[in-house]
Amino acid sequence: METKKIEKKWQKYWKENHTFEAKNNSTKEKYYVLVEFPYPSGAGLHVGHVRSYASLDAVARKKRMEGYNVLFPMGWDAFGLPAEEYAIKNHVHPSVAVKENIKTFKGQLESLGLSFDWSREIATTDPKYYKWTQWQFLKFYEAGLAYKAKKTINWCPNCKIGLANEEVEGGCCERCGGPIVHKEKEQWMLGMKQYAERLLDGLKDTSFQEKTKLAQINWIGKSTGAEIDFLIDDTDEKLKVYTTRPDTIFGVTFMVIAPEHPILKKLEARILNMDEIRAYQDFASHKSEMERTQLNKDKTGVKILGFYAINPVTKTKIPVYISDYVMMNYGTGAIMAVPAHDERDYEFAKKFDIPIIEVIKGGDISKEAYVGDGEMVNSSFLNGIETKQEAIAKILEYMDKEGIGHPSVKYRLQDWVFSRQRFWGEPIPMIKCENCGWVPVPYEDLPVKLPNVASYEPTENGESPLADIPEFVNCKCPKCGNDAKRETDTMPNWAGSSWYWLRYMDPHNDKEFVSMDALKYFGQVDWYNGGMEHATRHLLYARFWNNFLYDQGLVPNAEPFKLRTSHGMILGSNGEKMSKSKGNVINPNDCVNEYGADALRVYEMFIGDYEKEVNWNTNSLNGCKKFLDRVERIGAKLNSKTVYSPTLEVLINKTIKKVTEDLDNLKFNTAISSLMILLNEMEKQETITKKDYRTLLLLLNPMAPHITEELNEKYELGAKCCESKWPKYDDTKLIDETVTIAIQVNGKLRGTIEVPLDTTENKIQKLALENENVKKHTEGKEIIKVIVIKNKIVNIVVK
RNA sequence: GCGGGUAUGGCGGAACUGGCAGACGCGCUAGUCUUAGGAACUAGUUCUUCGGAGUGCAGGUUCGAUUCCUGUUACCCGCACCA
């Protein structure tokens, strides 16, 4: 039978027999394998998806054979801009395009024979799904963690959309690449910052790959320092600063506050150069994020005339500047500047001709700021202290006693901007009432559905297109019954993916977002694989969300994922990222048509180190096809015996061990190469036994599920592979009876000898010295030492 | 600037806990069979002046280093005026 028919045949069999459906009330131990669900783009499946799905499919299939009740689900992360843009152009509801795309994607995934449990398929755009996304938003709201705030946000003037920090790349919009500006806007926020420490700490309870943990730690950006109050002269007003170096307080010669700092408003009456300040504020806000970060060497700012700050330790008057190198959204939006020991402060001081006081010995402050450690000077009671830790401890003790400062911890992580001014997202289920303020949509009224309309363009003032739809906007206040208006912002793309793995556990439940029974049984995701590009954003949002649900008693574990792994990208054969414009895109469909799904799967697992990016190579795909053809052809050598061939027994046992371990350790490439080695050896035999062949097929089945089932059936070797037990190896049969021992002279290989296993060291040494070639290299030389490592190597040291 | 990673044949990559570097595959070469082959099979394939030399480079530890240590270079990724 030809490949295509075989593959269709087995795909049909699995579907009709519900072979891969996980059971919710199983007595078996569960194993939850999760791959990131795709955004169903019009372009269809990418070979990169296949790499991840095929590899984790092999894991899932093997775990099933090992006796686990495996949950391996798939769904669609289908909200997002492309569908909306398509809708704007063609005036069709985005759900229409999404439906089409899902159909294409699903067909492609099915043609690969991936063992997803399709009975649990979900889509974030399905009202039955986003009802519960909205429901969970209300939980955040009730807990005080969802709030509306006027925020200086990252605004993309091109997309007319507010972006989270996570969506800004180098000052540019991640989507359109255009520059980001700052804009004040009322936005729904989720209080993620409060969870910073938890998110940091929770990493200890996961076995994420180290690089993923580090990316998260970096992103959360914890820093330990102190908050110190500087009084403003002639007032009770305080300027609170955050610093990691309170020990340098005697070196403070000026202060800098962010241009948006509220104290400017408060002390407006005293400020003599308010015009100049306003002009600078204006200049800073119109500067794009790009300019603000990239031209970072050139410091700008304005000295505030009209008040001073008082150094709480030295009681000296200190001038205050505004400058955009201080950010309002980090720390307190104000810093104490120590130009002698901070590069940025140094540059600013040089530019504005501010004095520089050295308080730590070791550098040359006429040339640059010295940021290293050293002896404290010009610092009153700190003088003479040699280490940073000691100096910080002493000054903090002093500050605490005097009530002027205290230790403080800050995080880079910000609250999550949860509003988007877009149509194609989950409506935020809130209602604004003149009398009652913000009122949540009652639970029984969920979901707040997206309406059917003709135009999907954002409004000119940047509001969601929903704002232009009176039938959607106008409603009654659930509390007082008066006329009210619906929130027209929608949730960000990350919302639906922040809990989807939970819904898979109980996808058809219309009473609860997931039943507690299902949650308790399936617990955490055992193995979650996805792209490295999601190591910070998606993974942090998801962990935050799950930690919150845990605090609400809604899920039984704080951390959602035990293990997180990432696959490397697949690049075009020219080493560049696959893209239409470069003409190097490989379509998985074409590969399946020409080589078969099994060959594509095996190739993508064999292609190289799973975690590294790799160039596509169609020749190599063909090589994998040839391997499968050889597996098929060797069936002709079958004899009727049901034990292992003695000549193959050790190798088969070794191969079982290797494949078993490799599939658990992301080493898909060497798992396959070990099967190739086994096949090579089988081809050298006159005949092979049924047991030899069946073991090969069972081991290969997770990678190449169709052809192995077919051959297993054809030669009547036993139960269906997918319904059989994973082969076990015999520890006592892993070692060959003879070993080859290398003989070195002065560390250089001069010969090898074959000896029975566990030959004594004396005997080996004797044999080694008798070796002809070895003699040649030892003749006339003094043998100083002979090192014999049993079963391995001999090294003869001569002079 | 900070944090992390990588470096092995023509190519993708193997190598357990320090013990025969280059497994496995691609490509290439020669041959067999064929009307033909971009099929299949067989043999070979790190370089070499045939002494040796070889895992980015320079050292070190060791009987022995791709593996451990010190220094260094290149490239890749993440974060970045974060106080």
Side-chain angles (χ1 to χ4, degrees), chain A residues 76 136 148 162-163 261 266-267 298 360 411 432 462 500 523 606 706 771:
Chain A
W76 316 102
Q136 288 167 88
K148 199 150 198 189
L163 301 169
H261 200 285
K266 267 191 192 162
L267 297 179
D298 195 24
I360 300 167
Y411 302 91
K432 182 77 176 270
Y500 74 112
F606 184 62
H706 310 89
N771 182 289

Side-chain angles (χ1 to χ4, degrees), chain A residues 422-482:
Chain A
R422 281 283 168 178
F423 176 83
W424 192 229
E426 302 90 342
I428 291 176
M430 296 297 294
I431 292 168
K432 182 77 176 270
C433 169
E434 291 279 318
N435 302 327
C436 314
W438 283 109
V439 180
V441 173
Y443 287 115
E444 58 272 23
D445 292 349
L446 296 180
V448 177
K449 280 196 197 170
L450 284 167
N452 230 329
V453 287
S455 168
Y456 302 94
E457 268 134 357
T459 66
E460 263 324 296
N461 59 3
E463 293 302 317
S464 157
L466 290 170
D468 272 352
I469 306 169
E471 313 88 83
F472 178 83
V473 175
N474 297 323
C475 63
K476 298 288 175 198
C477 171
K479 221 169 171 179
C480 69
N482 283 340

Side-chain angles (χ1 to χ4, degrees), chain A residues 28-166:
Chain A
K28 282 187 188 173
E29 197 178 331
K30 66 90 195 186
Y31 194 86
Y32 190 171
V33 183
L34 183 67
V35 287
E36 281 174 356
F37 60 166
Y39 172 75
S41 75
L45 201 66
H46 187 274
V47 288
H49 291 118
V50 180
R51 187 181 201 183
S52 149
Y53 299 166
S55 306
L56 274 287
D57 184 48
V59 172
R61 284 174 177 271
K62 175 191 158 241
K63 285 283 174 188
R64 276 190 210 98
M65 291 168 81
E66 286 178 332
Y68 291 91
N69 178 32
V70 171
L71 176 55
F72 185 44
M74 181 41 71
W76 316 102
D77 190 14
F79 278 123
L81 277 184
E84 183 165 337
E85 269 147 22
Y86 182 85
I88 290 171
K89 250 188 230 154
N90 301 290
H91 299 283
V92 293
H93 198 278
S95 64
V96 176
V98 161
K99 212 176 216 170
E100 273 302 300
N101 293 345
I102 286 178
K103 208 176 144 197
T104 311
F105 256 76
K106 189 172 176 183
Q108 288 185 295
L109 291 178
E110 283 177 329
S111 79
L112 288 166
L114 298 164
S115 68
F116 292 125
D117 178 353
W118 287 110
S119 73
R120 293 171 188 261
E121 179 181 357
I122 56 175
T124 53
T125 49
D126 183 348
K128 286 192 206 112
Y129 180 89
Y130 70 66
K131 169 185 175 173
W132 296 109
T133 312
Q134 291 173 337
W135 183 85
Q136 288 167 88
F137 176 86
L138 294 180
K139 292 287 167 193
F140 277 104
Y141 181 76
E142 280 170 17
L145 280 165
Y147 62 96
K148 199 150 198 189
K150 196 158 198 150
K151 285 291 273 188
T152 306
I153 57 152
N154 306 302
W155 177 258
C156 174
N158 188 22
C159 300
K160 295 173 192 157
I161 194 170
L163 301 169
N165 282 339
E166 287 83 338

Side-chain angles (χ1 to χ4, degrees), chain A residues 9-23 713 720 722-723:
Chain A
K9 169 185 161 185
W10 289 103
Q11 285 159 18
K12 186 161 168 255
Y13 175 87
W14 296 325
K15 197 172 193 172
E16 285 172 357
N17 290 277
H18 310 279
T19 310
F20 304 125
E21 290 178 14
K23 306 282 177 297
E713 184 179 82
K720 304 264 181 310
C722 65
E723 289 156 12

Side-chain angles (χ1 to χ4, degrees), chain A residues 103-255:
Chain A
K103 208 176 144 197
T104 311
F105 256 76
K106 189 172 176 183
Q108 288 185 295
L109 291 178
E110 283 177 329
S111 79
L112 288 166
L114 298 164
S115 68
F116 292 125
D117 178 353
W118 287 110
S119 73
R120 293 171 188 261
E121 179 181 357
I122 56 175
T124 53
T125 49
D126 183 348
K128 286 192 206 112
Y129 180 89
Y130 70 66
K131 169 185 175 173
W132 296 109
T133 312
Q134 291 173 337
W135 183 85
Q136 288 167 88
F137 176 86
L138 294 180
K139 292 287 167 193
F140 277 104
Y141 181 76
E142 280 170 17
L145 280 165
Y147 62 96
K148 199 150 198 189
K150 196 158 198 150
K151 285 291 273 188
T152 306
I153 57 152
N154 306 302
W155 177 258
C156 174
N158 188 22
C159 300
K160 295 173 192 157
I161 194 170
L163 301 169
N165 282 339
E166 287 83 338
E167 291 164 314
V168 178
E169 275 171 9
C172 289
C173 171
E174 178 189 56
R175 275 242 136 73
C176 70
I180 296 297
V181 295
H182 286 160
K183 187 169 174 165
E184 290 255 303
K185 199 147 179 36
E186 284 263 305
Q187 300 272 21
W188 284 100
M189 308 287 296
L190 291 189
M192 190 158 168
K193 219 172 165 174
Q194 294 177 41
Y195 278 73
E197 190 61 38
R198 289 269 295 278
L199 291 172
L200 205 52
D201 196 52
L203 288 172
K204 293 188 194 95
D205 303 324
T206 71
S207 31
F208 293 1
Q209 287 171 306
E210 211 50 35
K211 61 177 176 182
T212 304
K213 285 191 184 182
L214 283 164
Q216 297 222 335
I217 290 167
N218 219 317
W219 192 274
I220 295 167
K222 181 175 182 173
S223 101
T224 315
E227 281 187 357
I228 305 169
D229 291 327
F230 283 62
L231 267 175
I232 303 296
D233 62 332
D234 296 331
T235 57
D236 293 333
E237 206 61 58
K238 282 172 187 163
L239 195 51
K240 195 182 273 296
V241 305
Y242 174 69
T243 177
T244 55
R245 299 298 303 271
D247 55 316
T248 60
I249 194 156
F250 291 93
V252 174
T253 54
F254 61 104
M255 317 261 300

Side-chain angles (χ1 to χ4, degrees), chain A residues 262-281:
Chain A
I263 202 162
L264 291 167
K265 189 118 210 162
K266 267 191 192 162
L267 297 179
E268 201 174 340
R270 280 183 64 183
I271 299 172
L272 306 172
N273 57 339
M274 207 55 206
D275 288 351
E276 204 186 344
I277 295 209
R278 289 222 178 82
Y280 186 81
Q281 288 175 321

